[in-house]
Amino acid sequence: MVQTISPQIARSWLLVPATQPELFETARTSRADAVIIDVEDAVAANEKERARHETLEWLNAGHRAWVRINDASSDFWSEDCAAFSNASGLEGVMLAKSESRSHLSDTADRLPEGTRILALVETARGIEHVEEIAHSPSTFRIAFGTGDFRRDTATGDSEIALAYARSRLVIASRAARLPAPIDGPTLDRDRLMSGTLHARDMGMSGKLSLNHEHTAIINEGLSPANEDIAWAHGFIKAFEESGGTITDGSDLPRLARAQKILQQAKDFKIHAEAAVVSHSDY
């Protein structure tokens, strides 16, 4: 990872199979804001023990990453929680198939106090219970497992087919004062930017990835564009030069948008020159 980004605002979340430790270093040095070592879907049942061993060895060797653990109803969950409770480099866990508040609280009870938990919602039950998941004190942020959700519900992969589920995650996260949710991966590189921009338009601020080469594209799509940063600088300058005069009901929302853009630019270390903004523009 080329720079340290807070997981509250992290854009690209790179999943790496735990059975391929040769990819751990590639992931660490990629453009990903966050790396998740996957001991769940990417690992066959007879490989779980080796996957835990490879992951623990790497985390205890001075490296840091998140770990996607098996769901709370699985035969592997207890062993995952026990194993990673002693991982010195654990950033937090992603809990697969989060479907209830108790899934989060039970997991938190088995991990060191304060361990951050990403609730991966990827079933119809998860969507139906997403409000209680979001309001669980153990939930750090919510992610959308689009692949498993589509399998569970026989839903297509079009934007309209998944719009309801995405909206539920966004609204539940906002109502619970959580960071905006993380969208599922787009596997087709040709559709990656459009998929990332759609996630942003839906109100999501992160995206999962299965390919380290996709992370830079995700970061770009979920960051303010140079023209937006320039507009924000210009708007705030014009607003301040006017003495902060409110001319109509759109001024304060636009001021809030400009301030958010500049905060994101600062967080992601993006710079752009200020644009010239007329009185009518603000």
Side-chain angles (χ1 to χ4, degrees):
M1 292 174 282
V2 297
Q3 59 178 313
T4 301
I5 301 295
S6 166
Q8 290 187 308
I9 60 171
R11 301 156 295 182
S12 52
W13 293 76
L14 178 60
L15 284 156
V16 185
T19 50
Q20 298 183 47
E22 67 275 11
L23 297 180
F24 294 175
E25 185 63 17
T26 299
R28 188 188 71 82
T29 58
S30 73
R31 296 290 300 277
D33 286 345
V35 172
I36 307 171
I37 301 176
D38 186 4
V39 302
E40 193 238 356
D41 266 359
V43 179
N46 63 350
E47 293 276 14
K48 298 290 186 183
E49 186 174 350
R50 180 171 76 87
R52 292 189 199 101
H53 173 76
E54 297 284 8
T55 304
L56 282 168
E57 188 172 64
W58 196 74
L59 291 176
N60 289 331
H63 303 110
R64 302 195 64 82
W66 294 72
V67 177
R68 175 159 78 166
I69 63 173
N70 290 272
D71 66 273
S73 62
S74 75
D75 295 332
F76 310 107
W77 171 75
S78 291
E79 292 182 39
D80 286 349
C81 292
F84 296 113
S85 290
N86 299 315
S88 61
L90 185 70
E91 289 281 0
V93 301
M94 169 182 275
L95 179 62
K97 296 179 180 63
S98 298
E99 294 185 336
S100 70
R101 185 187 183 103
S102 64
H103 284 176
L104 279 300
S105 59
D106 289 348
T107 300
D109 287 344
R110 290 174 178 248
L111 295 170
E113 184 176 356
T115 300
R116 294 175 291 204
I117 303 176
L118 290 174
L120 183 61
V121 174
E122 46 190 340
T123 63
R125 283 179 57 82
I127 292 295
E128 282 298 280
H129 298 150
V130 69
E131 183 177 356
E132 67 175 69
I133 290 170
H135 280 87
S136 167
S138 304
T139 301
F140 172 73
R141 197 169 172 184
I142 296 176
F144 187 23
T146 49
D148 278 329
F149 178 77
R150 290 176 55 217
R151 284 189 289 273
D152 186 47
T153 60
T155 303
D157 66 349
S158 68
E159 292 178 355
I160 189 65
L162 296 173
Y164 172 76
R166 285 188 171 111
S167 292
R168 288 285 302 271
L169 298 184
V170 169
I171 292 168
S173 295
R174 180 57 185 161
R177 298 296 188 264
L178 295 178
I182 302 161
D183 194 25
T186 298
L187 303 182
D188 184 351
R189 185 185 178 95
D190 292 338
R191 298 173 55 194
L192 180 58
M193 180 55 82
S194 62
T196 302
L197 294 177
H198 177 69
R200 185 189 67 183
D201 288 346
M202 291 295 296
M204 308 178 105
S205 62
K207 191 168 179 64
L208 299 177
S209 174
L210 305 182
N211 187 328
H212 71 277
E213 294 180 348
H214 290 184
T215 56
I217 298 173
I218 292 171
N219 290 345
E220 179 184 353
L222 294 177
S223 300
N226 285 337
E227 54 266 30
D228 292 331
I229 300 171
W231 169 83
H233 278 299
F235 177 87
I236 290 177
K237 180 180 179 181
F239 186 79
E240 291 173 347
E241 288 177 348
S242 75
T245 302
I246 303 297
T247 59
D248 59 45
S250 69
D251 285 344
L252 290 181
R254 281 189 285 178
L255 178 61
R257 175 173 176 262
Q259 291 170 333
K260 180 178 180 180
I261 288 171
L262 294 186
Q263 183 60 54
Q264 288 180 320
K266 179 181 178 181
D267 291 336
F268 300 139
K269 299 178 175 60
I270 304 169
H271 304 283
E273 296 298 323
V276 176
V277 179
S278 68
H279 183 80
S280 61
D281 287 330
Y282 77 90

